[in-house]
Amino acid sequence: MALGSKASLSFIFVTILIDVIGIGIIIPVLPSLIESLDGGGLSDAARIGGWLMFSYAIMQFLFAPVFGALSDQYGRRPVILLALLGLGIDYIFHAIAPTLSLLFIGRILAGVTGASFTVAAAYIADISTPDKKAQNFGMIGAAFGLGFIIGPVIGGVAAQWGVRVPFIVAAVLSLLNFLYGFFVLPESHKEENREPFDWKKANPVGSLRHFRKYPLIIGFVVSFTLIYLAGHSVQSTWAFFTMYRFDWDESLVGYSLALVGIVVAIVQGGLIKVVVKQLGEKKTVIVGMLLWSLGLFLFAYASQSWMMFAFIVPYCLGGVAGPTLQGIISNQVPATEQGKLQGALTSLVSLTSVVGPPLMTYIFYSFTQDDAPVEFPGAAFFFGGILMTIALFLVLKPIRKVDESNAAKLEEEAIVVEATS
């Protein structure tokens, strides 16, 4: 990869990192913030928290294909910068929102600007050779990991000065990143690969229909979707579960999520490269999904605080599967349609975020409320483990059809990308 491409990849990494920090800072403070605004208990706060996440996700689901299609016509750079500017302004809105209804409006606006993940992924696809896509998509996972180190720590520690302070920090970071990108970020999408904006394709339904053109990837896409849906059992209920089961405070929740971030950053920032090299893409996906399933089932039955920290390791090691699977999918689609592909994938991820938080928090609520038939606070993790196991079985058939030994094609495409980087 050329030096300019490496610099661009670094910027995209920072962009995603700041987006994830914004997500991470709200997780430790969300239960207490909702309780202070609503006046209810922890179980009720979990239900409201699920709908806050829903409001963010539904807007991301609607706008991700729009951003992807716009970037296919106008380029990645202007769309990324517009999203960063909007995100910075939205964090300021979060910092001053005094009521629960305004907090919902803030999450809606954050969902719109959060659709920049689509364009960031398309940017990575533009500048990556086919054999490097799994590794480079792994940087998205590494950014998520590092973001979940920084974000929850900021949220947990800053909560002692008030739940609004972390949003001000996130706003400053987003606006600084916008300024940096405005002056240094080059365009990655070549003029000859651009396509006119089409509303039929720039909507969630039209975006998802895009998959029909490539039958081989449908099985992967279904599995990809279930993976993200299962992941919401952790993202949506971690703070509520640990506070309910082990009486954790915001700081301990933040530190635990920081550990998650450290392991994810190690796995997807470096380990994934080693694993793919040793096992190949197919085995990496299978092994990773097995570890993901194991981690979720272990979380479900954790009976002591230290177990949550220990079980983070197998769960996060499973993270080698996600970017590898995304790389396999990307390699089945031509360069002219990477924006639409990533938009469609982001729409699916957002769709799981629409369904996942209210579903998982409702499962938690149903098994922790006073009238629960059985007290089982880990029920959401258990359900996530079942979904992950189904995803593993669904990926086994299509993954056999992927020919990793097509070295000639990879070499030819690599020469083209290298020559134009």
Side-chain angles (χ1 to χ4, degrees), residues 29-101:
V29 301
L30 187 60
S32 299
L33 177 61
I34 295 173
E35 284 184 291
S36 68
L37 294 175
D38 178 65
L42 194 59
S43 290
D44 288 328
R47 286 193 299 114
I48 296 172
W51 288 111
L52 275 171
M53 297 176 203
F54 167 88
S55 64
Y56 173 91
I58 189 67
M59 300 310 293
Q60 192 174 68
F61 173 68
L62 294 173
F63 280 88
V66 175
F67 276 44
L70 285 172
S71 76
D72 276 344
Q73 178 174 0
Y74 299 108
R76 319 297 186 204
R77 182 179 187 274
V79 179
I80 289 174
L81 293 178
L82 179 63
L84 282 173
L85 178 62
L87 191 63
I89 295 172
D90 179 65
Y91 283 137
I92 295 174
F93 185 88
H94 277 79
I96 61 176
T99 65
L100 195 59
S101 59

Side-chain angles (χ1 to χ4, degrees), residues 187-413:
E187 181 55 62
S188 67
H189 195 41
K190 305 180 187 67
E191 291 286 347
E192 62 269 23
N193 289 336
R194 298 191 182 186
E195 288 192 351
F197 183 86
D198 184 354
W199 276 110
K200 292 181 179 179
K201 298 178 180 179
N203 64 82
V205 176
S207 177
L208 297 180
R209 286 175 181 168
H210 184 68
F211 292 126
R212 294 189 303 180
K213 296 170 62 176
Y214 308 99
L216 178 61
I217 70 173
I218 292 177
F220 292 131
V221 169
V222 174
S223 180
F224 187 81
T225 305
L226 290 177
I227 287 171
Y228 275 87
L229 182 59
H232 280 287
S233 62
V234 177
Q235 298 172 27
S236 302
T237 69
W238 182 273
F240 298 104
F241 173 83
T242 53
M243 287 180 174
Y244 180 91
R245 186 75 175 84
F246 307 115
D247 199 28
W248 286 9
D249 60 14
E250 292 86 356
S251 295
L252 192 52
V253 171
Y255 295 140
S256 69
L257 291 174
L259 177 61
V260 171
I262 291 171
V263 180
V264 168
I266 292 171
V267 170
Q268 301 203 15
L271 185 60
I272 186 172
K273 180 180 179 180
V274 177
V275 174
V276 171
K277 184 177 180 180
Q278 293 295 321
L279 299 181
E281 291 184 338
K282 298 178 184 179
K283 290 182 180 179
T284 297
V285 170
I286 293 171
V287 170
M289 293 176 72
L290 283 171
L291 288 169
W292 258 337
S293 300
L294 174 63
L296 286 169
F297 287 125
L298 290 173
F299 285 148
Y301 290 101
S303 58
Q304 299 182 46
S305 284
W306 67 265
M307 293 181 178
M308 297 301 291
F309 286 92
F311 297 158
I312 283 171
V313 176
Y315 176 76
C316 291
L317 285 174
V320 297
T324 307
L325 182 59
Q326 188 173 1
I328 291 174
I329 295 171
S330 178
N331 282 336
Q332 313 307 311
V333 176
T336 56
E337 307 227 332
Q338 286 295 325
K340 295 182 183 64
L341 170 67
Q342 300 304 331
L345 289 176
T346 303
S347 288
L348 282 175
V349 172
S350 299
L351 183 59
T352 67
S353 299
V354 170
V355 177
L359 173 62
M360 298 301 180
T361 52
Y362 182 76
I363 291 174
F364 173 83
Y365 167 78
S366 297
F367 285 90
T368 57
Q369 63 168 317
D370 293 336
D371 298 331
V374 177
E375 186 183 23
F376 183 26
F381 296 137
F382 185 83
F383 181 65
I386 292 174
L387 292 178
M388 193 70 73
T389 303
I390 294 172
L392 172 59
F393 281 104
L394 288 175
V395 85
L396 292 177
K397 182 177 179 180
I399 208 167
R400 295 192 189 101
K401 299 178 181 179
V402 176
D403 184 11
E404 289 185 356
S405 65
N406 193 355
K409 179 182 176 181
L410 291 177
E411 183 177 356
E412 180 182 347
E413 293 189 23

